[in-house]
Amino acid sequence: MKPGKWLRMEWSSPRNGKHHRKLFALLQLVAENSEIYDTPEKALVAVKLAAGFFNPMPDPRTGEIVPILQSISFEAMGQEDFERFYAAALDGVLRVILPAMPKDTAQHLLDMIVDGWVAGVPA
């Protein structure tokens, strides 16, 4: 690097990797158990809505209030915020998206999915 060159650096603490994998396991669980939210991408939208992780905003065309989903990227939230989101996400899934699934069953399935990913076996 030449003297006088400007750099921009950002520091962050990494989120808990296992916790992050549990979120993606939750999305997989929703996708496998829902006809409507049948992909992890659709499940993520549904989970954010069910968790209340959005900002309401009026649609400029109709005035109707629509949800603007918030980001869960590493840059957007640290581990503490992610933990709160995950708790709300799991609660929202079991309350709204998969209401017939008991929480202990969901936890067991999530652990199985995460353990399969860690072992290198696709879930």
Side-chain angles (χ1 to χ4, degrees):
M1 176 170 45
K2 295 178 184 177
K5 180 152 176 117
W6 287 86
L7 292 177
R8 178 180 169 179
M9 298 180 73
E10 293 184 25
W11 297 89
S12 65
S13 298
R15 286 203 305 236
N16 179 317
K18 185 172 182 180
H19 206 179
H20 190 72
R21 286 190 298 276
K22 278 189 88 166
L23 172 63
F24 283 90
L26 180 61
L27 300 179
Q28 188 66 35
L29 182 69
V30 170
E32 290 176 0
N33 290 281
S34 172
E35 292 180 14
I36 298 171
Y37 313 115
D38 57 353
T39 67
E41 293 80 12
K42 290 178 186 175
L44 179 57
V45 171
V47 167
K48 285 180 177 182
L49 290 170
F53 201 66
F54 60 86
N55 293 313
M57 181 175 179
D59 183 323
R61 300 164 298 169
T62 64
E64 177 184 4
I65 301 298
V66 296
I68 305 300
L69 300 176
Q70 295 177 9
S71 174
I72 59 167
S73 72
F74 281 89
E75 297 79 23
M77 64 171 44
Q79 182 60 32
E80 288 181 12
D81 291 335
F82 187 78
E83 288 173 9
R84 283 190 289 277
F85 167 72
Y86 181 82
L90 180 58
D91 180 60
V93 165
L94 296 176
R95 192 173 29 81
V96 179
I97 301 171
L98 302 175
M101 183 175 289
K103 186 173 186 172
D104 59 334
T105 300
Q107 291 286 13
H108 178 70
L109 292 172
L110 290 170
D111 290 340
M112 288 175 54
I113 293 170
V114 170
D115 290 345
W117 285 347
V118 171
V121 178

